[in-house]
Amino acid sequence: MAETLHFRVSSGLKNIIGRELINDKYIAIFELVKNSYDAGAKHVKISFDKLGTSDATITISDDGNGMSKTDIIDKWLFVAYSEKRNPSYRDSIKRAVAGAKGVGRFSCDRLGERVALSSKVSTENMRHQISISWSDFEANSQDNFTDINVQYESYVQSDKTSGTDIVISNLRESWQRDDLLAL
């Protein structure tokens, strides 16, 4: 008797496409900047705050196209999906695309245990935010990747700006002055 079977995906996939694939903190930052560039950003700001403390954060902010709630669900949270592979997307940004594998977002895992992403498109008056604790994916490798919760919230922001902010906390490595200069 024939039947159709399906792959299951372990929550351990996060480690493979996160910290194990992106094995250098400088490359992790570069991957996130490439994502900003590919989102049409003209400016990307990288901030390191409260270094040397347990409250240290890395923030990557851009003035790119931003993401709606639907974009976050259908693109950012869709593992290995990359809109950049679509020729119409490549034509719409009118410049070379820097990344296309759909795993750069997991650079956040390489840099810190927690990530908060907030984003806004210019045509909406809402800013959308998701919060991820990568340790939730590490609790039990028998868990299905898709069963791990990601927190979502939105709030009104009525200006016409667009862009994305990624705040990474509970940093996995310290950043010293020499590291920042090397970056």
Side-chain angles (χ1 to χ4, degrees), residues 103-123:
V103 296
R105 66 206 80 172
F106 288 95
S107 294
C108 298
D109 175 42
R110 173 64 180 82
L111 296 168
E113 180 191 339
R114 299 192 58 75
V115 63
L117 174 142
S118 68
S119 195
K120 182 184 178 303
V121 296
S122 63
T123 57

Side-chain angles (χ1 to χ4, degrees), residues 145-158:
F145 189 91
T146 56
D147 291 340
I148 308 298
N149 293 329
V150 172
Q151 298 303 310
Y152 168 81
E153 61 184 305
S154 63
Y155 52 92
V156 174
Q157 182 180 337
S158 58

